[in-house]
Amino acid sequence: LAGIYKNVIGTDTSLEQLEFAPKLPNVRYQQTSPVISMGELEQTVSTQSSVDLVYIAQAMHWFDLPAFYQQVKWVLKKPHGVIAAWCYTVPEVNDSVDSVFNPFYTVDSDPYWEPQRKLVDDKFMTIDFPFEPVEGTDNTGPFKFVAEKMMDLDDYFTYIRSWSAYQTAKAKGVELLRDDKYTKTSSIQHLMEAKIREVFESVGSFFSGGDHIPWCDRDIINGCEREAAEAAEGDSEELKRDTIMRLSWALVHSKQSEDVQRGIAMLEASLANSSPPLLDREKIYLLAVGYYRSGEYSRSRQLVDQCLEIAPDWRQALDLKKTLEDRVAKDGVIGIGITATAVGLIAGGIAAALARKK
Ligand SMILES: C[S@@+](CC[C@H](N)C(=O)[O-])C[C@H]1O[C@@H](n2cnc3c(N)ncnc32)[C@H](O)[C@@H]1O
């Protein structure tokens, strides 16, 4: 969203979750109360009829929907404001792994899920969504789409440990991922190890697509170019700086190596001029992404280390550092089989709904 919209406000009730979110120049994060008054909404999030898009990722099932929808209608611009929501269901790997996972999900963990989880299991098909479709009923959701993600076995268990059900069980003294049953001697480990060989035989491009760093497409880059060109003609230094940052962000995330090189050159040039330290920090991180994408891992690593000196808990920089370490380690073993614990994880069954406000 940060690549498409001028200003983004990301809200969550959990400060901890917000700290995980990527820091971007045009995104402001705001912690909110679980039930937020109109006054708080206006003061901390946005004013009446001021928002183009309300977007909810894997969270709408937790909300008090009637109250939330009333507030959505209040903040959205009239008549073209849009609400879009999506959720992802449980991961699918392959029949063998899924046959171990499914009883774990539907039996072991079932008592610890909140009743609202059913809306996600139903892929949002049954969620109340009182809005008009954007382009007629054929075009409203929920739609299904697939997101693929590479994870190693540790990542897979970390994902399960992040479930609210896992945490609830733990608070009640129940360890759902018992060592004897799942994490140590379990068949799931062997099944996943087998799966990784399969994945690597069929997906030769792990090393170009297996990280968490997003790609930016041509439309977004063009939009950022236009925006920066317009700002360059105006008087606002702040706007010039913001648009250049967005363009740099888009360029270093591009699939085209010429764009990445241009992004690097822009960032190097703008770092040479002094700017607020917070923005410098973002530039150093973006430069690290640019060098990573152009295969200059040791330069990228130096910059990531610089980021982590400034902010040791910076999640994005920590992720990039791990990605770089993995890349360097794995580049040396291409062709002789990959680390035995890596696994191809396909998260499927995602539902989405998109509608224009009534
Ligand atoms: C699965 S996480 C998704 C987080 C984020 N939207 C994302 O896509 O990464 C669900 C989030 O919903 C948040 N949440 C739960 N109840 C909420 C409420 N009433 N208002 C706002 N956020 C809430 C939780 O704190 C949690 O961060």
Side-chain angles (χ1 to χ4, degrees):
L1 293 182
I4 305 170
Y5 289 86
K6 275 194 177 159
N7 292 305
V8 177
I9 306 160
T11 72
D12 200 295
T13 45
S14 155
L15 204 52
E16 208 185 344
Q17 285 277 26
L18 292 175
E19 276 162 10
F20 275 94
K23 317 272 181 296
L24 291 166
N26 58 335
V27 181
R28 170 171 75 81
Y29 293 105
Q30 178 66 48
Q31 186 188 19
T32 50
S33 330
V35 179
I36 173 173
S37 69
M38 294 306 275
E40 189 186 347
L41 178 70
E42 181 164 30
Q43 241 180 358
T44 61
V45 184
S46 212
T47 52
Q48 188 170 14
S49 308
S50 61
V51 170
D52 294 295
L53 171 71
V54 174
Y55 173 89
I56 313 103
Q58 189 69 355
M60 205 162 71
H61 48 291
W62 299 120
F63 298 174
D64 170 354
L65 287 179
F68 175 66
Y69 288 152
Q70 194 196 348
Q71 297 184 337
V72 169
K73 289 175 184 179
W74 189 79
V75 293
L76 276 180
K77 284 185 185 167
K78 320 286 179 297
H80 296 302
V82 168
I83 172 172
W86 64 276
C87 67
Y88 55 83
T89 55
V90 291
E92 291 166 18
V93 180
N94 60 11
D95 287 349
S96 322
V97 174
D98 298 347
S99 65
V100 179
F101 174 85
N102 287 336
F104 173 75
Y105 179 64
T106 55
V107 180
D108 296 19
S109 76
D110 189 62
Y112 305 102
W113 286 108
E114 300 283 339
Q116 299 97 302
R117 173 76 188 182
K118 185 161 181 343
L119 293 169
V120 171
D121 290 337
D122 288 346
K123 305 181 171 106
F124 276 3
M125 298 296 273
T126 53
I127 204 162
D128 180 36
F129 199 64
F131 298 92
E132 281 172 6
V134 169
E135 289 171 45
T137 37
D138 287 350
N139 293 293
T140 195
F143 308 105
K144 183 174 172 174
F145 62 97
V146 173
E148 294 190 7
K149 187 164 169 57
M150 302 292 283
M151 284 184 173
D152 63 22
L153 191 61
D154 283 345
D155 291 337
Y156 186 79
F157 286 132
T158 301
Y159 155 71
I160 291 175
R161 288 189 187 99
S162 79
W163 287 358
S164 57
Y166 178 87
Q167 300 297 337
T168 305
K170 201 168 165 194
K172 293 183 175 173
V174 177
E175 172 52 61
L176 285 176
L177 284 173
R178 277 174 24 215
D179 280 354
D180 58 328
K181 201 168 171 195
Y182 289 108
T183 62
K184 291 263 162 67
T185 55
S186 93
S187 53
I188 203 161
Q189 189 154 355
H190 301 296
L191 293 168
M192 286 184 167
E193 284 166 7
K195 174 70 182 165
I196 190 56
R197 281 186 282 279
E198 204 182 289
V199 167
F200 278 102
E201 272 156 27
S202 58
V203 185
S205 62
F206 175 73
F207 293 103
S208 60
D211 56 48
H212 302 279
I213 299 164
W215 295 104
C216 192
D217 68 24
R218 181 52 41 204
D219 286 349
I220 293 177
I221 296 171
N222 289 344
C224 292
E225 299 265 21
R226 270 197 303 277
E227 193 188 52
E230 278 166 27
E233 289 179 6
D235 297 327
S236 164
E237 288 308 313
E238 197 187 336
L239 189 63
K240 282 181 201 167
R241 215 171 43 214
D242 286 355
T243 54
I244 290 285
M245 276 300 281
R246 281 202 282 275
L247 178 57
S248 313
W249 181 92
L251 288 169
V252 296
H253 288 89
S254 167
K255 286 189 173 160
Q256 307 296 323
S257 61
E258 314 85 78
D259 291 336
V260 177
Q261 292 307 323
R262 223 182 110 218
I264 290 176
M266 276 174 61
L267 287 159
E268 296 275 20
S270 98
L271 264 177
N273 303 317
S274 63
S275 63
L278 193 68
L279 277 182
D280 271 359
R281 175 182 116 150
E282 292 295 335
K283 286 177 198 165
I284 297 169
Y285 172 77
L286 291 177
L287 257 183
V289 172
Y291 281 117
Y292 162 68
R293 281 275 158 87
S294 51
E296 292 177 61
Y297 301 144
S298 63
R299 179 75 186 117
S300 179
R301 177 63 196 264
Q302 282 169 350
L303 291 159
V304 169
D305 286 342
Q306 241 176 293
C307 293
L308 291 170
E309 265 170 43
I310 302 169
D313 298 328
W314 188 355
R315 185 80 200 162
Q316 265 175 301
L318 286 166
D319 270 358
L320 180 55
K321 183 172 174 173
K322 183 168 182 317
T323 303
L324 278 159
E325 282 165 357
D326 288 353
R327 177 64 56 96
V328 169
K330 286 169 184 167
D331 270 1
V333 295
I334 291 178
I336 57 163
I338 307 302
T339 60
T341 54
V343 61
L345 179 78
I346 299 170
I350 299 171
L354 184 71
R356 178 184 290 154
K357 200 193 139 302
K358 236 177 202 164

